[in-house]
Amino acid sequence: QTRSQATQEDQALRISFNWHKVLEKGALKVRGGLFREALNYRDEQIRLNSTSSFWTGIAEVERQRFIGKAHQLTLGLNHTWTQAEIAAYQSNPQQHSSAVFLAHSWQKGKWKWNGSLRQGIIDGKILPLVGSGALRFEVKPSLRLHMQAARNYRVPTFNDRFWNPGGNPDLLPESGWSQEGGFSWQILDKGWKVTQPTTLRKCGVGDGSRSFLLRFLPLGVLGHSLLVIISPDPPIKQAFHFLSFQRETS
């Protein structure tokens, strides 16, 4: 039996800062960082010496504003720079990504709302506007109703585009959407808590010319589901639920 002599050395450099100022009706936050992560994998038996490193720089400004007792607005600007130095890429790609984001939260009585919008730019290309919204209503302490919707946009990673073999520099971004609604109830009795969330989920991803359905089915394990089907143009409603038990003692 041959014993492996492979070794791996990891190095990381992380520099970050965070500045926070409390204002009369909100706050101002400035944060950023510079990160370098490197990996060196060596295996003398197969004469392999593979090195890879990533540089990442992040800068972000965020302004929070409280409006009355129920509303909170957050406006922010983010810029991220990434550069990779990996032999398998056969190049040193880099990417500049900027985004303006706006978030709103509201809570009054038994109602609670969270929503957000994000406009991104990558290497000078304006991305589609994405956002999400979620609304929750507490009928009573043991019963809650919820609904949410989201619009997503995913740009291919460096590995998707540049890894050799298998990468595709011309790979298109993925756009996605989802809507979800349901309820959850729980019973508290003699230290036992029984919870049953039930959700109707509708979602899909595609490149703009073709849509796909992602279906989640229960595994039979409490609290778990598994993505098992990806198929084009089927009926797009799928419901699932599970029951969980928890014993609380003090």
Side-chain angles (χ1 to χ4, degrees):
Q1 183 177 358
T2 303
R3 184 175 180 179
S4 175
Q5 298 180 0
T7 61
Q8 178 175 307
E9 180 183 356
D10 298 285
Q11 297 179 349
L13 171 66
R14 300 183 178 96
I15 303 173
S16 63
F17 68 89
N18 193 334
W19 179 78
H20 182 199
K21 182 178 182 180
V22 178
L23 304 176
E24 182 179 357
K25 294 184 179 180
L28 178 63
K29 300 179 181 180
V30 180
R31 49 184 171 259
L34 180 65
F35 313 97
R36 183 182 186 273
E37 298 180 348
L39 182 151
N40 186 3
Y41 179 84
R42 295 184 296 272
D43 191 337
E44 299 297 337
Q45 292 180 338
I46 59 175
R47 297 182 179 180
L48 175 64
N49 186 4
S50 176
T51 61
S52 62
S53 64
F54 275 91
W55 281 97
T56 304
I58 302 175
E60 185 171 284
V61 180
E62 184 179 291
R63 175 69 165 93
Q64 293 179 338
R65 172 78 175 181
F66 298 99
I67 304 175
K69 297 181 179 181
H71 298 270
Q72 177 181 328
L73 286 176
T74 302
L75 177 65
L77 175 64
N78 173 280
H79 182 79
T80 301
W81 164 75
T82 305
Q83 178 174 309
E85 300 174 357
I86 299 178
Y89 286 177
Q90 298 182 342
S91 65
N92 296 330
Q94 64 175 330
Q95 179 176 278
H96 289 271
S97 172
S98 301
V100 178
F101 57 90
L102 175 66
H104 172 245
S105 63
W106 168 80
Q107 184 171 2
K108 186 175 182 180
K110 297 182 178 182
W111 292 92
K112 185 175 183 180
W113 156 266
N114 289 285
S116 65
L117 292 173
R118 185 181 182 92
Q119 178 61 69
I121 301 175
I122 293 183
D123 293 335
K125 180 181 178 181
I126 299 178
L127 306 182
L129 180 68
V130 297
S132 64
L135 183 64
R136 190 182 72 178
F137 177 67
E138 186 178 281
V139 180
K140 54 184 180 179
S142 61
L143 177 61
R144 295 177 179 177
L145 308 178
H146 71 272
M147 59 188 302
Q148 64 184 49
R151 173 77 163 85
N152 305 304
Y153 189 82
R154 177 185 177 274
V155 176
T157 65
F158 281 170
N159 278 352
D160 294 334
R161 297 163 57 194
F162 302 114
W163 190 268
N164 185 28
N168 181 2
D170 299 322
L171 194 64
L172 297 176
E174 295 176 354
S175 59
W177 49 264
S178 66
Q179 298 98 43
E180 181 177 310
F183 68 91
S184 64
W185 59 267
Q186 63 181 20
I187 300 175
L188 299 175
D189 183 25
K190 298 180 180 180
W192 285 93
K193 180 169 71 174
V194 182
T195 305
Q196 184 183 26
T198 299
T199 301
L200 178 66
R201 176 171 296 171
K202 177 182 178 183
C203 57
V205 296
D207 60 5
S209 61
R210 190 180 185 191
S211 297
F212 297 85
L213 172 69
L214 308 183
R215 291 187 177 180
F216 295 82
L217 297 179
L219 284 176
V221 181
L222 298 181
H224 293 271
S225 59
L226 176 67
L227 174 63
V228 294
I229 299 176
I230 301 180
S231 55
D233 304 324
I236 51 179
K237 292 183 179 180
Q238 179 70 29
F240 65 92
H241 67 274
F242 52 84
L243 188 66
S244 64
F245 299 87
Q246 180 178 347
R247 174 70 172 176
E248 295 183 346
T249 60
S250 60

PDB file of all heavy atoms in Angstrom, residues 86-121:
ATOM      1  N   ILE A  86      -4.311  31.627 -10.574  1.00  0.00           N
ATOM      2  CA  ILE A  86      -4.423  30.172 -10.503  1.00  0.00           C
ATOM      3  C   ILE A  86      -3.896  29.577 -11.800  1.00  0.00           C
ATOM      4  O   ILE A  86      -4.283  30.005 -12.898  1.00  0.00           O
ATOM      5  CB  ILE A  86      -5.889  29.749 -10.275  1.00  0.00           C
ATOM      6  CG1 ILE A  86      -6.397  30.323  -8.948  1.00  0.00           C
ATOM      7  CG2 ILE A  86      -6.027  28.235 -10.276  1.00  0.00           C
ATOM      8  CD1 ILE A  86      -7.838  30.005  -8.671  1.00  0.00           C
ATOM      9  N   ALA A  87      -3.032  28.591 -11.683  1.00  0.00           N
ATOM     10  CA  ALA A  87      -2.415  27.995 -12.871  1.00  0.00           C
ATOM     11  C   ALA A  87      -3.453  27.406 -13.814  1.00  0.00           C
ATOM     12  O   ALA A  87      -3.314  27.478 -15.034  1.00  0.00           O
ATOM     13  CB  ALA A  87      -1.410  26.934 -12.443  1.00  0.00           C
ATOM     14  N   ALA A  88      -4.515  26.802 -13.259  1.00  0.00           N
ATOM     15  CA  ALA A  88      -5.528  26.162 -14.098  1.00  0.00           C
ATOM     16  C   ALA A  88      -6.327  27.161 -14.924  1.00  0.00           C
ATOM     17  O   ALA A  88      -6.981  26.783 -15.897  1.00  0.00           O
ATOM     18  CB  ALA A  88      -6.485  25.342 -13.230  1.00  0.00           C
ATOM     19  N   TYR A  89      -6.284  28.450 -14.556  1.00  0.00           N
ATOM     20  CA  TYR A  89      -7.014  29.465 -15.336  1.00  0.00           C
ATOM     21  C   TYR A  89      -6.254  29.850 -16.597  1.00  0.00           C
ATOM     22  O   TYR A  89      -6.835  30.360 -17.553  1.00  0.00           O
ATOM     23  CB  TYR A  89      -7.233  30.712 -14.491  1.00  0.00           C
ATOM     24  CG  TYR A  89      -8.288  30.574 -13.419  1.00  0.00           C
ATOM     25  CD1 TYR A  89      -8.540  31.613 -12.537  1.00  0.00           C
ATOM     26  CD2 TYR A  89      -9.040  29.417 -13.289  1.00  0.00           C
ATOM     27  CE1 TYR A  89      -9.505  31.506 -11.549  1.00  0.00           C
ATOM     28  CE2 TYR A  89      -9.994  29.297 -12.310  1.00  0.00           C
ATOM     29  CZ  TYR A  89     -10.228  30.345 -11.441  1.00  0.00           C
ATOM     30  OH  TYR A  89     -11.173  30.237 -10.472  1.00  0.00           O
ATOM     31  N   GLN A  90      -4.928  29.687 -16.598  1.00  0.00           N
ATOM     32  CA  GLN A  90      -4.062  30.098 -17.713  1.00  0.00           C
ATOM     33  C   GLN A  90      -4.167  31.594 -17.979  1.00  0.00           C
ATOM     34  O   GLN A  90      -3.920  32.069 -19.083  1.00  0.00           O
ATOM     35  CB  GLN A  90      -4.396  29.298 -18.984  1.00  0.00           C
ATOM     36  CG  GLN A  90      -4.175  27.802 -18.828  1.00  0.00           C
ATOM     37  CD  GLN A  90      -4.454  27.014 -20.091  1.00  0.00           C
ATOM     38  OE1 GLN A  90      -5.116  27.502 -20.998  1.00  0.00           O
ATOM     39  NE2 GLN A  90      -3.946  25.799 -20.144  1.00  0.00           N
ATOM     40  N   SER A  91      -4.585  32.338 -16.966  1.00  0.00           N
ATOM     41  CA  SER A  91      -4.648  33.798 -17.028  1.00  0.00           C
ATOM     42  C   SER A  91      -4.863  34.289 -15.604  1.00  0.00           C
ATOM     43  O   SER A  91      -5.066  33.491 -14.682  1.00  0.00           O
ATOM     44  CB  SER A  91      -5.778  34.276 -17.946  1.00  0.00           C
ATOM     45  OG  SER A  91      -7.036  33.906 -17.421  1.00  0.00           O
ATOM     46  N   ASN A  92      -4.806  35.598 -15.415  1.00  0.00           N
ATOM     47  CA  ASN A  92      -5.049  36.185 -14.101  1.00  0.00           C
ATOM     48  C   ASN A  92      -6.272  37.105 -14.184  1.00  0.00           C
ATOM     49  O   ASN A  92      -6.144  38.331 -14.242  1.00  0.00           O
ATOM     50  CB  ASN A  92      -3.823  36.963 -13.611  1.00  0.00           C
ATOM     51  CG  ASN A  92      -2.615  36.073 -13.383  1.00  0.00           C
ATOM     52  OD1 ASN A  92      -2.747  34.896 -13.043  1.00  0.00           O
ATOM     53  ND2 ASN A  92      -1.430  36.625 -13.574  1.00  0.00           N
ATOM     54  N   PRO A  93      -7.469  36.526 -14.200  1.00  0.00           N
ATOM     55  CA  PRO A  93      -8.670  37.351 -14.377  1.00  0.00           C
ATOM     56  C   PRO A  93      -8.948  38.216 -13.152  1.00  0.00           C
ATOM     57  O   PRO A  93      -8.609  37.860 -12.018  1.00  0.00           O
ATOM     58  CB  PRO A  93      -9.779  36.309 -14.561  1.00  0.00           C
ATOM     59  CG  PRO A  93      -9.287  35.104 -13.826  1.00  0.00           C
ATOM     60  CD  PRO A  93      -7.799  35.101 -14.012  1.00  0.00           C
ATOM     61  N   GLN A  94      -9.555  39.358 -13.387  1.00  0.00           N
ATOM     62  CA  GLN A  94      -9.995  40.216 -12.309  1.00  0.00           C
ATOM     63  C   GLN A  94     -11.368  40.778 -12.635  1.00  0.00           C
ATOM     64  O   GLN A  94     -11.787  40.804 -13.794  1.00  0.00           O
ATOM     65  CB  GLN A  94      -8.998  41.335 -12.029  1.00  0.00           C
ATOM     66  CG  GLN A  94      -8.801  42.316 -13.170  1.00  0.00           C
ATOM     67  CD  GLN A  94      -7.881  43.458 -12.749  1.00  0.00           C
ATOM     68  OE1 GLN A  94      -7.836  43.831 -11.580  1.00  0.00           O
ATOM     69  NE2 GLN A  94      -7.143  44.000 -13.708  1.00  0.00           N
ATOM     70  N   GLN A  95     -12.060  41.225 -11.605  1.00  0.00           N
ATOM     71  CA  GLN A  95     -13.438  41.689 -11.775  1.00  0.00           C
ATOM     72  C   GLN A  95     -13.711  42.826 -10.798  1.00  0.00           C
ATOM     73  O   GLN A  95     -13.349  42.768  -9.628  1.00  0.00           O
ATOM     74  CB  GLN A  95     -14.413  40.542 -11.512  1.00  0.00           C
ATOM     75  CG  GLN A  95     -15.879  40.908 -11.625  1.00  0.00           C
ATOM     76  CD  GLN A  95     -16.769  39.686 -11.453  1.00  0.00           C
ATOM     77  OE1 GLN A  95     -16.985  38.916 -12.386  1.00  0.00           O
ATOM     78  NE2 GLN A  95     -17.283  39.491 -10.249  1.00  0.00           N
ATOM     79  N   HIS A  96     -14.371  43.875 -11.320  1.00  0.00           N
ATOM     80  CA  HIS A  96     -14.824  44.990 -10.509  1.00  0.00           C
ATOM     81  C   HIS A  96     -16.346  44.954 -10.474  1.00  0.00           C
ATOM     82  O   HIS A  96     -17.007  44.946 -11.517  1.00  0.00           O
ATOM     83  CB  HIS A  96     -14.337  46.319 -11.088  1.00  0.00           C
ATOM     84  CG  HIS A  96     -12.868  46.541 -10.931  1.00  0.00           C
ATOM     85  ND1 HIS A  96     -12.321  47.149  -9.824  1.00  0.00           N
ATOM     86  CD2 HIS A  96     -11.827  46.214 -11.750  1.00  0.00           C
ATOM     87  CE1 HIS A  96     -11.009  47.197  -9.952  1.00  0.00           C
ATOM     88  NE2 HIS A  96     -10.680  46.640 -11.112  1.00  0.00           N
ATOM     89  N   SER A  97     -16.891  44.935  -9.272  1.00  0.00           N
ATOM     90  CA  SER A  97     -18.335  44.847  -9.102  1.00  0.00           C
ATOM     91  C   SER A  97     -18.799  45.958  -8.157  1.00  0.00           C
ATOM     92  O   SER A  97     -18.267  46.104  -7.047  1.00  0.00           O
ATOM     93  CB  SER A  97     -18.716  43.484  -8.528  1.00  0.00           C
ATOM     94  OG  SER A  97     -20.086  43.437  -8.191  1.00  0.00           O
ATOM     95  N   SER A  98     -19.786  46.736  -8.609  1.00  0.00           N
ATOM     96  CA  SER A  98     -20.353  47.806  -7.792  1.00  0.00           C
ATOM     97  C   SER A  98     -21.857  47.617  -7.700  1.00  0.00           C
ATOM     98  O   SER A  98     -22.482  47.045  -8.597  1.00  0.00           O
ATOM     99  CB  SER A  98     -20.038  49.186  -8.379  1.00  0.00           C
ATOM    100  OG  SER A  98     -18.645  49.392  -8.467  1.00  0.00           O
ATOM    101  N   ALA A  99     -22.449  48.107  -6.626  1.00  0.00           N
ATOM    102  CA  ALA A  99     -23.889  47.952  -6.440  1.00  0.00           C
ATOM    103  C   ALA A  99     -24.421  49.058  -5.539  1.00  0.00           C
ATOM    104  O   ALA A  99     -23.759  49.476  -4.583  1.00  0.00           O
ATOM    105  CB  ALA A  99     -24.234  46.588  -5.859  1.00  0.00           C
ATOM    106  N   VAL A 100     -25.623  49.516  -5.862  1.00  0.00           N
ATOM    107  CA  VAL A 100     -26.390  50.399  -4.992  1.00  0.00           C
ATOM    108  C   VAL A 100     -27.569  49.582  -4.478  1.00  0.00           C
ATOM    109  O   VAL A 100     -28.253  48.910  -5.253  1.00  0.00           O
ATOM    110  CB  VAL A 100     -26.893  51.640  -5.751  1.00  0.00           C
ATOM    111  CG1 VAL A 100     -27.744  52.519  -4.836  1.00  0.00           C
ATOM    112  CG2 VAL A 100     -25.716  52.431  -6.299  1.00  0.00           C
ATOM    113  N   PHE A 101     -27.812  49.617  -3.179  1.00  0.00           N
ATOM    114  CA  PHE A 101     -28.899  48.819  -2.619  1.00  0.00           C
ATOM    115  C   PHE A 101     -29.745  49.659  -1.672  1.00  0.00           C
ATOM    116  O   PHE A 101     -29.268  50.584  -1.007  1.00  0.00           O
ATOM    117  CB  PHE A 101     -28.366  47.569  -1.904  1.00  0.00           C
ATOM    118  CG  PHE A 101     -27.379  47.838  -0.809  1.00  0.00           C
ATOM    119  CD1 PHE A 101     -27.786  48.030   0.505  1.00  0.00           C
ATOM    120  CD2 PHE A 101     -26.022  47.879  -1.092  1.00  0.00           C
ATOM    121  CE1 PHE A 101     -26.873  48.266   1.515  1.00  0.00           C
ATOM    122  CE2 PHE A 101     -25.089  48.112  -0.082  1.00  0.00           C
ATOM    123  CZ  PHE A 101     -25.522  48.303   1.224  1.00  0.00           C
ATOM    124  N   LEU A 102     -31.019  49.316  -1.639  1.00  0.00           N
ATOM    125  CA  LEU A 102     -31.995  49.999  -0.797  1.00  0.00           C
ATOM    126  C   LEU A 102     -32.831  48.944  -0.094  1.00  0.00           C
ATOM    127  O   LEU A 102     -33.336  48.015  -0.730  1.00  0.00           O
ATOM    128  CB  LEU A 102     -32.896  50.912  -1.634  1.00  0.00           C
ATOM    129  CG  LEU A 102     -34.044  51.615  -0.905  1.00  0.00           C
ATOM    130  CD1 LEU A 102     -33.500  52.618   0.104  1.00  0.00           C
ATOM    131  CD2 LEU A 102     -34.981  52.282  -1.908  1.00  0.00           C
ATOM    132  N   ALA A 103     -32.969  49.071   1.214  1.00  0.00           N
ATOM    133  CA  ALA A 103     -33.753  48.121   1.999  1.00  0.00           C
ATOM    134  C   ALA A 103     -34.756  48.884   2.853  1.00  0.00           C
ATOM    135  O   ALA A 103     -34.480  49.984   3.341  1.00  0.00           O
ATOM    136  CB  ALA A 103     -32.848  47.264   2.871  1.00  0.00           C
ATOM    137  N   HIS A 104     -35.915  48.270   3.033  1.00  0.00           N
ATOM    138  CA  HIS A 104     -36.969  48.866   3.851  1.00  0.00           C
ATOM    139  C   HIS A 104     -37.564  47.798   4.752  1.00  0.00           C
ATOM    140  O   HIS A 104     -37.865  46.688   4.298  1.00  0.00           O
ATOM    141  CB  HIS A 104     -38.075  49.462   2.954  1.00  0.00           C
ATOM    142  CG  HIS A 104     -39.268  49.927   3.726  1.00  0.00           C
ATOM    143  ND1 HIS A 104     -40.517  49.347   3.599  1.00  0.00           N
ATOM    144  CD2 HIS A 104     -39.403  50.909   4.650  1.00  0.00           C
ATOM    145  CE1 HIS A 104     -41.377  49.964   4.394  1.00  0.00           C
ATOM    146  NE2 HIS A 104     -40.737  50.910   5.051  1.00  0.00           N
ATOM    147  N   SER A 105     -37.700  48.107   6.008  1.00  0.00           N
ATOM    148  CA  SER A 105     -38.360  47.205   6.947  1.00  0.00           C
ATOM    149  C   SER A 105     -39.435  47.972   7.702  1.00  0.00           C
ATOM    150  O   SER A 105     -39.277  49.174   7.976  1.00  0.00           O
ATOM    151  CB  SER A 105     -37.346  46.588   7.921  1.00  0.00           C
ATOM    152  OG  SER A 105     -36.746  47.578   8.724  1.00  0.00           O
ATOM    153  N   TRP A 106     -40.503  47.265   8.022  1.00  0.00           N
ATOM    154  CA  TRP A 106     -41.652  47.876   8.690  1.00  0.00           C
ATOM    155  C   TRP A 106     -42.289  46.855   9.611  1.00  0.00           C
ATOM    156  O   TRP A 106     -42.409  45.687   9.255  1.00  0.00           O
ATOM    157  CB  TRP A 106     -42.651  48.353   7.642  1.00  0.00           C
ATOM    158  CG  TRP A 106     -44.004  48.733   8.191  1.00  0.00           C
ATOM    159  CD1 TRP A 106     -44.343  49.902   8.797  1.00  0.00           C
ATOM    160  CD2 TRP A 106     -45.192  47.940   8.171  1.00  0.00           C
ATOM    161  NE1 TRP A 106     -45.670  49.898   9.163  1.00  0.00           N
ATOM    162  CE2 TRP A 106     -46.223  48.695   8.785  1.00  0.00           C
ATOM    163  CE3 TRP A 106     -45.484  46.659   7.708  1.00  0.00           C
ATOM    164  CZ2 TRP A 106     -47.511  48.210   8.939  1.00  0.00           C
ATOM    165  CZ3 TRP A 106     -46.771  46.172   7.866  1.00  0.00           C
ATOM    166  CH2 TRP A 106     -47.773  46.945   8.471  1.00  0.00           C
ATOM    167  N   GLN A 107     -42.662  47.287  10.784  1.00  0.00           N
ATOM    168  CA  GLN A 107     -43.318  46.400  11.733  1.00  0.00           C
ATOM    169  C   GLN A 107     -44.335  47.198  12.528  1.00  0.00           C
ATOM    170  O   GLN A 107     -44.032  48.254  13.093  1.00  0.00           O
ATOM    171  CB  GLN A 107     -42.299  45.748  12.676  1.00  0.00           C
ATOM    172  CG  GLN A 107     -42.928  44.736  13.627  1.00  0.00           C
ATOM    173  CD  GLN A 107     -41.893  43.943  14.395  1.00  0.00           C
ATOM    174  OE1 GLN A 107     -40.696  44.168  14.251  1.00  0.00           O
ATOM    175  NE2 GLN A 107     -42.337  43.010  15.216  1.00  0.00           N
ATOM    176  N   LYS A 108     -45.548  46.681  12.558  1.00  0.00           N
ATOM    177  CA  LYS A 108     -46.612  47.320  13.316  1.00  0.00           C
ATOM    178  C   LYS A 108     -47.580  46.249  13.780  1.00  0.00           C
ATOM    179  O   LYS A 108     -48.145  45.525  12.969  1.00  0.00           O
ATOM    180  CB  LYS A 108     -47.341  48.368  12.478  1.00  0.00           C
ATOM    181  CG  LYS A 108     -48.364  49.173  13.278  1.00  0.00           C
ATOM    182  CD  LYS A 108     -48.968  50.284  12.441  1.00  0.00           C
ATOM    183  CE  LYS A 108     -49.950  51.109  13.274  1.00  0.00           C
ATOM    184  NZ  LYS A 108     -50.561  52.202  12.475  1.00  0.00           N
ATOM    185  N   GLY A 109     -47.744  46.176  15.086  1.00  0.00           N
ATOM    186  CA  GLY A 109     -48.641  45.165  15.627  1.00  0.00           C
ATOM    187  C   GLY A 109     -48.188  43.769  15.258  1.00  0.00           C
ATOM    188  O   GLY A 109     -47.046  43.366  15.507  1.00  0.00           O
ATOM    189  N   LYS A 110     -49.061  43.032  14.591  1.00  0.00           N
ATOM    190  CA  LYS A 110     -48.764  41.652  14.212  1.00  0.00           C
ATOM    191  C   LYS A 110     -48.213  41.530  12.788  1.00  0.00           C
ATOM    192  O   LYS A 110     -47.971  40.424  12.322  1.00  0.00           O
ATOM    193  CB  LYS A 110     -50.035  40.806  14.347  1.00  0.00           C
ATOM    194  CG  LYS A 110     -50.559  40.728  15.788  1.00  0.00           C
ATOM    195  CD  LYS A 110     -51.785  39.845  15.874  1.00  0.00           C
ATOM    196  CE  LYS A 110     -52.284  39.723  17.309  1.00  0.00           C
ATOM    197  NZ  LYS A 110     -53.460  38.820  17.426  1.00  0.00           N
ATOM    198  N   TRP A 111     -48.007  42.671  12.126  1.00  0.00           N
ATOM    199  CA  TRP A 111     -47.499  42.668  10.756  1.00  0.00           C
ATOM    200  C   TRP A 111     -46.004  42.989  10.742  1.00  0.00           C
ATOM    201  O   TRP A 111     -45.533  43.829  11.507  1.00  0.00           O
ATOM    202  CB  TRP A 111     -48.233  43.684   9.902  1.00  0.00           C
ATOM    203  CG  TRP A 111     -49.668  43.350   9.638  1.00  0.00           C
ATOM    204  CD1 TRP A 111     -50.754  43.747  10.369  1.00  0.00           C
ATOM    205  CD2 TRP A 111     -50.171  42.547   8.572  1.00  0.00           C
ATOM    206  NE1 TRP A 111     -51.902  43.249   9.825  1.00  0.00           N
ATOM    207  CE2 TRP A 111     -51.585  42.502   8.711  1.00  0.00           C
ATOM    208  CE3 TRP A 111     -49.575  41.868   7.516  1.00  0.00           C
ATOM    209  CZ2 TRP A 111     -52.399  41.795   7.834  1.00  0.00           C
ATOM    210  CZ3 TRP A 111     -50.383  41.165   6.631  1.00  0.00           C
ATOM    211  CH2 TRP A 111     -51.775  41.133   6.792  1.00  0.00           C
ATOM    212  N   LYS A 112     -45.287  42.330   9.831  1.00  0.00           N
ATOM    213  CA  LYS A 112     -43.864  42.602   9.659  1.00  0.00           C
ATOM    214  C   LYS A 112     -43.511  42.481   8.182  1.00  0.00           C
ATOM    215  O   LYS A 112     -43.877  41.510   7.523  1.00  0.00           O
ATOM    216  CB  LYS A 112     -43.020  41.626  10.480  1.00  0.00           C
ATOM    217  CG  LYS A 112     -41.519  41.939  10.446  1.00  0.00           C
ATOM    218  CD  LYS A 112     -40.740  41.026  11.368  1.00  0.00           C
ATOM    219  CE  LYS A 112     -39.269  41.385  11.372  1.00  0.00           C
ATOM    220  NZ  LYS A 112     -38.486  40.496  12.279  1.00  0.00           N
ATOM    221  N   TRP A 113     -42.788  43.479   7.665  1.00  0.00           N
ATOM    222  CA  TRP A 113     -42.421  43.536   6.248  1.00  0.00           C
ATOM    223  C   TRP A 113     -40.928  43.800   6.102  1.00  0.00           C
ATOM    224  O   TRP A 113     -40.349  44.599   6.846  1.00  0.00           O
ATOM    225  CB  TRP A 113     -43.206  44.628   5.534  1.00  0.00           C
ATOM    226  CG  TRP A 113     -42.541  45.156   4.292  1.00  0.00           C
ATOM    227  CD1 TRP A 113     -41.726  46.247   4.194  1.00  0.00           C
ATOM    228  CD2 TRP A 113     -42.609  44.596   2.968  1.00  0.00           C
ATOM    229  NE1 TRP A 113     -41.296  46.409   2.905  1.00  0.00           N
ATOM    230  CE2 TRP A 113     -41.818  45.408   2.136  1.00  0.00           C
ATOM    231  CE3 TRP A 113     -43.266  43.488   2.430  1.00  0.00           C
ATOM    232  CZ2 TRP A 113     -41.672  45.142   0.781  1.00  0.00           C
ATOM    233  CZ3 TRP A 113     -43.105  43.231   1.078  1.00  0.00           C
ATOM    234  CH2 TRP A 113     -42.332  44.051   0.267  1.00  0.00           C
ATOM    235  N   ASN A 114     -40.300  43.126   5.119  1.00  0.00           N
ATOM    236  CA  ASN A 114     -38.912  43.386   4.739  1.00  0.00           C
ATOM    237  C   ASN A 114     -38.818  43.371   3.226  1.00  0.00           C
ATOM    238  O   ASN A 114     -39.315  42.430   2.573  1.00  0.00           O
ATOM    239  CB  ASN A 114     -37.970  42.329   5.325  1.00  0.00           C
ATOM    240  CG  ASN A 114     -37.809  42.450   6.820  1.00  0.00           C
ATOM    241  OD1 ASN A 114     -37.127  43.341   7.313  1.00  0.00           O
ATOM    242  ND2 ASN A 114     -38.449  41.559   7.558  1.00  0.00           N
ATOM    243  N   GLY A 115     -38.208  44.389   2.656  1.00  0.00           N
ATOM    244  CA  GLY A 115     -38.044  44.455   1.209  1.00  0.00           C
ATOM    245  C   GLY A 115     -36.709  45.068   0.847  1.00  0.00           C
ATOM    246  O   GLY A 115     -36.111  45.824   1.624  1.00  0.00           O
ATOM    247  N   SER A 116     -36.202  44.735  -0.342  1.00  0.00           N
ATOM    248  CA  SER A 116     -34.915  45.266  -0.774  1.00  0.00           C
ATOM    249  C   SER A 116     -34.842  45.336  -2.293  1.00  0.00           C
ATOM    250  O   SER A 116     -35.500  44.573  -3.007  1.00  0.00           O
ATOM    251  CB  SER A 116     -33.764  44.397  -0.249  1.00  0.00           C
ATOM    252  OG  SER A 116     -33.815  43.104  -0.823  1.00  0.00           O
ATOM    253  N   LEU A 117     -34.038  46.277  -2.786  1.00  0.00           N
ATOM    254  CA  LEU A 117     -33.724  46.425  -4.207  1.00  0.00           C
ATOM    255  C   LEU A 117     -32.214  46.567  -4.346  1.00  0.00           C
ATOM    256  O   LEU A 117     -31.555  47.157  -3.486  1.00  0.00           O
ATOM    257  CB  LEU A 117     -34.416  47.647  -4.806  1.00  0.00           C
ATOM    258  CG  LEU A 117     -35.943  47.606  -4.927  1.00  0.00           C
ATOM    259  CD1 LEU A 117     -36.464  48.967  -5.367  1.00  0.00           C
ATOM    260  CD2 LEU A 117     -36.377  46.522  -5.906  1.00  0.00           C
ATOM    261  N   ARG A 118     -31.665  46.033  -5.444  1.00  0.00           N
ATOM    262  CA  ARG A 118     -30.227  46.098  -5.672  1.00  0.00           C
ATOM    263  C   ARG A 118     -29.954  46.284  -7.156  1.00  0.00           C
ATOM    264  O   ARG A 118     -30.448  45.514  -7.987  1.00  0.00           O
ATOM    265  CB  ARG A 118     -29.538  44.829  -5.151  1.00  0.00           C
ATOM    266  CG  ARG A 118     -28.009  44.858  -5.251  1.00  0.00           C
ATOM    267  CD  ARG A 118     -27.420  43.549  -4.746  1.00  0.00           C
ATOM    268  NE  ARG A 118     -25.966  43.553  -4.767  1.00  0.00           N
ATOM    269  CZ  ARG A 118     -25.190  43.915  -3.754  1.00  0.00           C
ATOM    270  NH1 ARG A 118     -25.746  44.307  -2.625  1.00  0.00           N
ATOM    271  NH2 ARG A 118     -23.878  43.884  -3.848  1.00  0.00           N
ATOM    272  N   GLN A 119     -29.167  47.300  -7.479  1.00  0.00           N
ATOM    273  CA  GLN A 119     -28.747  47.551  -8.859  1.00  0.00           C
ATOM    274  C   GLN A 119     -27.242  47.386  -8.940  1.00  0.00           C
ATOM    275  O   GLN A 119     -26.485  48.108  -8.283  1.00  0.00           O
ATOM    276  CB  GLN A 119     -29.137  48.964  -9.290  1.00  0.00           C
ATOM    277  CG  GLN A 119     -28.694  49.316 -10.703  1.00  0.00           C
ATOM    278  CD  GLN A 119     -29.313  48.407 -11.755  1.00  0.00           C
ATOM    279  OE1 GLN A 119     -30.516  48.469 -11.987  1.00  0.00           O
ATOM    280  NE2 GLN A 119     -28.508  47.564 -12.391  1.00  0.00           N
ATOM    281  N   GLY A 120     -26.792  46.427  -9.736  1.00  0.00           N
ATOM    282  CA  GLY A 120     -25.376  46.123  -9.811  1.00  0.00           C
ATOM    283  C   GLY A 120     -24.753  46.473 -11.147  1.00  0.00           C
ATOM    284  O   GLY A 120     -25.440  46.564 -12.176  1.00  0.00           O
ATOM    285  N   ILE A 121     -23.453  46.673 -11.123  1.00  0.00           N
ATOM    286  CA  ILE A 121     -22.646  46.900 -12.322  1.00  0.00           C
ATOM    287  C   ILE A 121     -21.389  46.046 -12.191  1.00  0.00           C
ATOM    288  O   ILE A 121     -20.700  46.110 -11.170  1.00  0.00           O
ATOM    289  CB  ILE A 121     -22.256  48.380 -12.484  1.00  0.00           C
ATOM    290  CG1 ILE A 121     -23.498  49.274 -12.562  1.00  0.00           C
ATOM    291  CG2 ILE A 121     -21.382  48.567 -13.713  1.00  0.00           C
ATOM    292  CD1 ILE A 121     -23.163  50.749 -12.608  1.00  0.00           C
TER     293      ILE A 121
END
